[in-house]
Amino acid sequence: MLNKKAGVLLAVLVIVAAGGATALYALSDRDSNSAYHSEDTTGRLSVYGNANNDDYLDSDDIAVLEAIIANPTEVKDHPLADANQDGTVDQRDIDMVKQMIAGETMEIYVLQQYSGSPETVKIDYPITANVCVAGYEALTIMKAIGAKSAICALSGASGNSFDPILYSDVYDLPKIGGTVWTVDTEQIPEYGVKTIITMDGKSYIPNYDVISAAGVNIVRITAANGLTSLSGIVTLGFLTQHQEAANELIAFYEGIMKTIGEKVNGIGESDRETSLFVTMSNYVEGPLSDYYGSSELAGSNNLADWTDKERQQFKIGDEWLWDEKYQAHFIVHSRALGLGGTVNMQEQWDKYSVYFHDMDAYKNGGYFMLNSALPVVMRIAFMAEQFNPSLFEDGWAEGLLQQYFDTFMDNLRDSGYNVSQGNWVVTAANLKQTGS
């Protein structure tokens, strides 16, 4: 798989703005078998034993563990060092990490997020079969890193999000839940499910305690919102033994973020376009939300200012969003718009834009719908092009998306899918042009 996708690896320094901080990624020549090596040390590989907090489990982690054993005070800077979670870093952790590097069948510990809070779970490793996936963004990552063969079932389907083109290679798999958020415990034994890979939100697998008690692993990843989704890629790559493909996908995304950063970082704060980001049924995202962060990474200043919750819903008859301080240049509305033109864009527009008709952004043509089928970094690319079109060549984001589909989505590449068939950004102007 590495050879097939080597063309996307980027021999560059990549600068990514994340959460207000700047993280530096550089190539490394220490491993002659890898064309790219991330220098991120934020713990995106959220597996205990990743002692140096980078994206890889390797000999460097063993060296750090040895250093901690020699000087235990060092452990405070290495939160993932205690591989076996017994409260002490010792030779047993080194032995366990060596087993993990070798891909031996064993139980390991993962630090994951659940509804904004960290939790440590014990799971069977490696995850190579008998997987049920709940959540389309998690499903997309599994496909992109080449791990779809491990999937034996999915949670239920929901509306336009389960696109028959994007998911053509898994579309006919058994659905063992009434909704995309749930899995029927009675059907788990029928399909031999051993692991459920799902999203970090509390709406996914609400009966997790019953499922866990039945001996089924539940692995939660961040996949949907901002650059935290990169952690989901790195962690799933390791857990499913598709590290090389995950590394290539990370390299591709970080190259995109480098380009965006170079272009938008030159815009002065006072000259930046302003924005609001809206999800689902008109939830306006605030500073605690990764969606908010993604709009700022794309080069805008988001005007949402509440800090007591991630989002708040705007309904017909409400007036709070009409306040002058929320009159942004752009309103980005994330909607499931499919890939194949089967979704009625005019119907979507009429149903959801009506909430914002009194906003300056709508009146001035700055309201647009963004296809939520896009991976997070691609969403940022499309937003960046909308916010500052003069900084990007026309069709820049679409070109990247075509490269992504051709490189990481086997079923789309093999079918000859062209991104011009899809609806990625819907504005009043292009809706009128298409006559949808």
Side-chain angles (χ1 to χ4, degrees):
M1 183 169 293
L2 180 61
N3 292 335
K4 180 177 73 174
K5 297 179 177 178
V8 304
L9 299 181
L10 308 171
V12 292
L13 289 177
V14 180
I15 299 175
V16 179
T22 298
L24 180 64
Y25 301 86
L27 293 182
S28 169
D29 59 4
R30 68 178 181 177
D31 182 355
S32 60
N33 295 319
S34 176
Y36 172 81
H37 198 285
S38 164
E39 296 299 326
D40 180 78
T41 55
T42 61
R44 295 192 303 199
L45 175 57
S46 56
V47 172
Y48 286 97
N50 180 21
N52 67 347
N53 304 318
D54 69 0
D55 284 355
Y56 312 95
L57 201 70
D58 53 24
S59 58
D60 287 353
D61 296 293
I62 294 173
V64 170
L65 290 171
E66 290 172 342
I68 292 173
I69 293 171
N71 184 5
T73 60
E74 294 292 322
V75 72
K76 65 181 182 298
D77 296 321
H78 305 277
L80 295 170
D82 186 7
N84 63 4
Q85 286 295 281
D86 66 353
T88 303
V89 175
D90 54 24
Q91 182 61 42
R92 287 173 293 186
D93 295 295
I94 292 177
D95 295 341
M96 185 171 178
V97 169
K98 288 180 177 179
Q99 290 178 284
M100 294 164 69
I101 293 172
E104 294 184 21
T105 300
M106 59 192 298
E107 292 183 320
I108 67 171
Y109 292 89
V110 177
L111 176 65
Q112 60 190 26
Q113 294 292 316
Y114 177 47
S115 191
S117 299
E119 65 173 13
T120 296
V121 295
K122 188 178 185 180
I123 68 165
D124 296 315
Y125 169 81
I127 301 172
T128 57
N130 305 106
V131 171
C132 175
V133 181
Y136 301 124
E137 290 90 348
L139 181 57
T140 302
I141 291 177
M142 287 289 284
K143 282 164 48 62
I145 63 173
K148 66 185 177 187
S149 62
I151 306 171
C152 66
L154 306 174
S155 61
S158 176
N160 297 322
S161 294
F162 192 40
D163 187 87
I165 296 177
L166 176 58
Y167 301 112
S168 63
D169 49 349
V170 294
Y171 197 76
D172 294 327
L173 284 174
K175 315 298 187 299
I176 58 173
T179 69
V180 69
W181 302 280
T182 60
V183 172
D184 185 349
T185 55
E186 295 183 1
Q187 291 183 285
I188 286 176
E190 180 180 351
Y191 294 100
V193 173
K194 301 297 183 185
T195 301
I196 296 174
I197 293 174
T198 189
M199 312 283 275
D200 58 316
K202 65 180 180 180
S203 57
Y204 288 91
I205 317 299
N207 58 336
Y208 68 93
D209 51 343
V210 176
I211 295 175
S212 296
V216 176
N217 301 305
I218 297 179
V219 178
R220 296 184 182 274
I221 64 164
T222 54
N225 305 350
L227 289 186
T228 53
S229 64
L230 300 186
S231 173
I233 295 168
V234 174
T235 300
L236 273 186
F238 174 78
L239 295 178
T240 63
Q241 295 189 326
H242 287 81
Q243 297 98 315
E244 289 183 349
N247 190 51
E248 294 163 24
L249 184 56
I250 291 292
F252 177 72
Y253 283 156
E254 288 177 352
I256 294 171
M257 293 307 302
K258 171 187 181 292
T259 299
I260 294 172
E262 287 176 342
K263 291 181 179 294
V264 305
N265 288 345
I267 307 172
E269 280 295 308
S270 61
D271 295 326
R272 291 199 171 210
E273 302 291 341
T274 55
S275 69
L276 293 173
F277 197 106
V278 183
T279 58
M280 300 173 283
S281 296
N282 311 314
Y283 283 91
V284 187
E285 304 290 320
L288 298 178
S289 165
D290 282 339
Y291 290 109
Y292 171 105
S294 70
S295 66
E296 297 219 313
L297 285 169
S300 74
N301 285 329
N302 194 302
L303 298 184
D305 60 355
W306 50 89
T307 57
D308 57 334
K309 52 195 168 187
E310 285 193 37
R311 58 189 60 88
Q312 49 189 20
Q313 191 174 29
F314 184 68
K315 303 176 182 178
I316 296 292
D318 289 348
E319 297 184 6
W320 62 268
L321 199 60
W322 298 349
D323 192 298
E324 182 61 31
K325 65 180 179 177
Y326 297 131
Q327 300 311 303
H329 298 121
F330 290 95
I331 296 177
V332 185
H333 201 158
S334 178
R335 299 297 313 163
L337 303 177
L339 270 73
T342 58
V343 177
N344 187 313
M345 295 300 141
Q346 187 68 58
E347 185 177 277
Q348 287 280 313
W349 185 272
D350 293 343
K351 183 175 182 179
Y352 293 102
S353 70
V354 65
Y355 290 83
F356 305 100
H357 282 185
D358 291 315
M359 304 288 290
D360 286 355
Y362 184 88
K363 295 175 182 177
N364 298 327
Y367 171 90
F368 65 89
M369 290 183 175
L370 182 67
N371 195 330
S372 62
L374 293 164
V376 171
V377 173
M378 296 308 310
R379 294 179 206 166
I380 296 172
F382 275 92
M383 281 192 286
E385 191 173 338
Q386 287 295 308
F387 294 157
N388 293 285
S390 64
L391 298 181
F392 300 89
E393 294 180 7
D394 186 41
W396 174 75
E398 275 201 359
L400 291 172
L401 183 61
Q402 186 70 61
Q403 186 180 1
Y404 167 77
F405 285 154
D406 289 345
T407 306
F408 298 101
M409 292 287 150
D410 294 348
N411 61 313
L412 295 183
R413 179 188 64 245
D414 296 343
S415 70
Y417 180 81
N418 191 299
V419 296
S420 63
Q421 300 170 224
N423 295 285
W424 313 112
V425 172
V426 180
T427 67
N430 65 28
L431 191 64
K432 184 177 181 179
Q433 290 170 0
T434 59
S436 297

